[in-house]
Amino acid sequence: MQKTIAVFSTKGYVRESFRRVQEASSEFQALELTFFEPRLNRDTAALATGHDGVCIFVNDLADKPVIDRLHEVGVKVIALRCAGFNNVDLNHCQEMGLEVMRVPAYSPYAVAEHTVGLALTLNRKLHKAYNRVRDGNFSLDGLLGFDFHGKTVGVIGTGRIGQVFARIMGGFGCRVLAYDRFPQPELAAGGLFEYGELATLYESSDIISLHCPLTQDTFHMINDYTLAAMKDGVVILNTSRGPLVDTNAVIDALKSGKIGALGLDVYEEEGDLFFEDLSNQVIQDDTFVRLQTFPNVLITGHQAFFTREAIDAIARTTLENLLACPLAPDHPNSVRPTRLVAPH
Ligand code: NAI
């Protein structure tokens, strides 16, 4: 029997990857996909009427009212086409009998490599150099960077992405100091990094990169207090989830010079901005606009995952999840409330 799925927040590249993967494998043709451009929220949930499931992305919202509406219109499954699930009220899904599934891994390389790209660009000011040279300005003033070699890199979250990032930074000759709420000692034993306390990581790191999920514990983990504990001139990278960072606190730390550079692929209030072309509009988010004014801040619009390999892997795993549902409770792609702060 065909399962019908309403796919929200779809851009051309999403539709193309799903079609490509569906065409490559006849089993996936048992899934009938309807693509919708809008994000899932209270206003758009009714679009799912007549579908067995919805497929959503990072800035779709499945809070209580949305889940109630989805339940009312007969939806039984929420398939996230991403790893994070902080935008879904898992307890309420369980209460209403909605299954939630995700794509825990698609290409950790995509995200880790983008994070390194942010670090290198900020350190060697490649974004400025590009414009200068195009403008016939070959002055080096203001472009001075530092060697990564020999520096200490703090990695918070040693899951799939954190491990790849640690390996790349180790390749530069950095000392990698890691913290994870659920450490995997075998990784440290293998020499990939050393585990330490979070306080030690904050104190000792020249570069700090966030690779942990957004949970109650990690919300605003970069704040006035933790920033004060860091080295002057620290480089902070966040390619995980915007609310890990208290934006007002980093703005103050950028103004005082405490933060030497900030690379973001995610932003607390990105839901109103990212993935859309707003180049003809006035951005109303003054905090975001203030962030953009700093010469040592580089922001990308949640594109770290965006490689060919990753988007096809996302489509394939999403379709496999939907075909296989209901997933066994211990299936790694099944998301249940108890997994919120579980290791993987
Ligand atoms: P993962 O689940 O493999 O690893 C997350 C790690 O964080 C685990 O080792 C876990 O034990 C650890 N952790 C959990 N709570 C923690 C805490 N309180 N403090 C420190 N560590 C904690 O996840 P993966 O695949 O490495 O992804 C990491 C994050 O990257 C995701 O949660 C997601 O938010 C983000 N992401 C961003 C993308 C982008 O395009 N910018 C794409 C994919 C993921």
Side-chain angles (χ1 to χ4, degrees):
M1 205 183 75
Q2 283 233 318
K3 282 181 193 157
T4 52
I5 310 297
V7 189
F8 284 83
S9 292
T10 61
K11 302 286 181 199
Y13 51 82
V14 175
R15 292 190 284 272
E16 278 161 30
S17 63
F18 273 95
R19 285 194 184 120
R20 208 166 33 238
V21 172
Q22 240 183 342
E23 275 164 19
S25 179
S26 58
E27 55 174 344
F28 293 143
Q29 279 146 32
L31 297 165
E32 193 184 315
L33 308 180
T34 316
F35 293 105
F36 294 108
E37 273 196 38
R39 280 192 276 153
L40 175 68
N41 57 33
R42 294 167 201 199
D43 299 327
T44 60
L47 288 171
T49 305
H51 294 83
D52 303 308
V54 293
C55 174
I56 64 173
F57 196 48
V58 291
N59 289 326
D60 293 289
L61 181 66
D63 61 1
K64 266 193 186 136
V66 171
I67 293 163
D68 287 340
R69 190 81 183 103
L70 293 177
H71 179 255
E72 244 170 63
V73 302
V75 165
K76 291 172 202 69
V77 57
I78 298 180
L80 287 149
R81 50 179 197 278
C82 54
F85 42 83
N86 50 283
N87 50 340
V88 179
D89 184 334
L90 296 179
N91 288 313
H92 199 56
C93 281
Q94 197 167 54
E95 275 161 33
M96 302 310 287
L98 259 74
E99 178 168 6
V100 184
M101 44 183 52
R102 66 170 179 148
V103 182
Y106 33 94
S107 171
Y109 311 103
V111 184
E113 288 169 12
H114 187 82
T115 313
V116 176
L118 289 176
L120 280 170
T121 306
L122 281 163
N123 177 30
R124 306 304 297 270
K125 283 104 178 152
L126 302 180
H127 52 314
K128 289 172 180 291
Y130 172 79
N131 287 325
R132 273 195 199 181
V133 171
R134 283 173 69 94
D135 206 26
N137 174 358
F138 304 103
S139 156
L140 299 184
D141 287 335
L143 299 184
L144 190 67
F146 59 84
D147 287 2
F148 280 177
H149 182 90
K151 298 295 182 299
T152 299
V153 176
V155 177
I156 302 179
T158 56
R160 296 169 190 88
I161 297 168
Q163 286 171 42
V164 177
F165 179 77
R167 196 166 295 121
I168 299 172
M169 297 312 283
F172 280 116
C174 297
R175 169 190 177 218
V176 183
L177 192 56
Y179 169 80
D180 197 298
R181 183 158 169 200
F182 306 94
Q184 301 178 68
E186 66 282 8
L187 296 174
L192 187 54
F193 47 69
E194 321 155 34
Y195 275 119
E197 290 303 317
L198 202 45
T200 316
L201 185 152
Y202 287 145
E203 274 169 27
S204 330
S205 301
D206 301 289
I207 299 172
I208 294 177
S209 195
L210 307 178
H211 298 290
C212 54
L214 174 62
T215 64
Q216 280 168 355
D217 293 340
T218 60
F219 176 80
H220 280 188
M221 68 188 302
I222 303 299
N223 55 42
D224 289 327
Y225 181 76
T226 53
L227 282 162
M230 293 176 196
K231 281 190 175 181
D232 289 343
V234 64
V235 175
I236 296 182
L237 306 166
N238 184 12
T239 55
S240 277
R241 284 291 180 268
L244 297 179
V245 170
D246 176 346
T247 312
N248 288 318
V250 292
I251 287 175
D252 287 345
L254 283 159
K255 283 162 81 175
S256 71
K258 180 78 189 178
I259 294 182
L262 176 68
L264 300 178
D265 186 52
V266 287
Y267 167 64
E268 278 194 88
E269 304 298 333
E270 68 178 53
D272 293 332
L273 299 169
F274 288 3
F275 305 122
E276 302 304 327
D277 177 1
L278 305 181
S279 53
N280 282 321
Q281 293 183 31
V282 175
I283 304 286
Q284 298 297 326
D285 182 336
D286 292 346
T287 309
F288 183 78
V289 174
R290 179 67 181 106
L291 264 186
Q292 299 264 56
T293 64
F294 294 98
N296 49 350
V297 172
L298 178 58
I299 307 177
T300 52
H302 211 135
Q303 71 169 83
F305 74 99
F306 199 49
T307 64
R308 268 192 299 278
E309 291 79 359
I311 62 169
D312 280 11
I314 290 171
R316 196 172 310 109
T317 306
T318 304
L319 295 174
E320 283 166 1
N321 283 345
L322 285 164
L323 266 189
C325 80
L327 299 180
D330 59 348
H331 192 289
N333 301 0
S334 166
V335 191
R336 286 162 202 266
T338 49
R339 300 180 76 90
L340 251 180
V341 289
H344 290 291

